[in-house]
Amino acid sequence: QGQVVESGGGLVQPGGSLRLSCTASGGGFSINPIGWYRQAPGKQRELVATIISSGITNYADSVKGRFTISRDSAKNTVYLQMNSLKPEDTAVYYCKALSRSIVYWGQGTQVTVSS
């Protein structure tokens, strides 16, 4: 069974930075992390950023210019560098991975932006 593991969340002051990591492993076919989503209390899960095999990236308007998604293919790991964090970025961040047509989600990592 495939496994997706996120790390790097925490508490940070407004204007600060965090870097999230997501690694996928296991399963009968390769599992590839493709992006980050987040869910704030009382809100629906929303896309933050995605990256495809060609390296093309996509970002939510709310994070453009502040967040950067990248991938280390050798480690099968996707990163999310988050700079200039705002209180409205507070949420549980989830990594999404794909294995053919099967979608995998990580358990989520909490990011809290507060003074």
Side-chain angles (χ1 to χ4, degrees), residues 10-112:
L11 173 64
V12 64
Q13 291 186 342
S17 299
L18 283 174
R19 189 175 84 151
L20 306 182
S21 300
C22 171
T23 300
S25 61
F29 300 96
S30 62
I31 303 174
N32 300 306
I34 64 164
W36 292 92
Y37 292 69
R38 67 187 181 187
Q39 187 167 16
K43 295 187 177 181
Q44 290 188 330
R45 190 173 298 188
E46 63 177 5
L47 179 147
V48 176
T50 59
I51 184 167
I52 61 176
S53 57
S54 64
I56 295 175
T57 58
N58 181 50
Y59 296 92
D61 288 343
S62 59
V63 306
K64 283 181 181 176
R66 301 188 297 122
F67 291 10
T68 303
I69 189 170
S70 61
R71 183 182 64 229
D72 185 332
S73 297
K75 296 181 179 180
N76 204 29
T77 298
V78 167
Y79 303 97
L80 185 68
Q81 178 67 44
M82 305 185 293
N83 299 327
S84 302
L85 282 161
K86 304 175 181 180
E88 51 263 44
D89 294 318
T90 295
V92 178
Y93 284 69
Y94 296 92
C95 179
K96 181 179 181 179
L98 290 177
S99 176
R100 295 200 170 186
S101 60
I102 299 173
V103 176
Y104 292 87
W105 292 97
Q107 80 287 353
T109 185
Q110 176 70 45
V111 171
T112 302

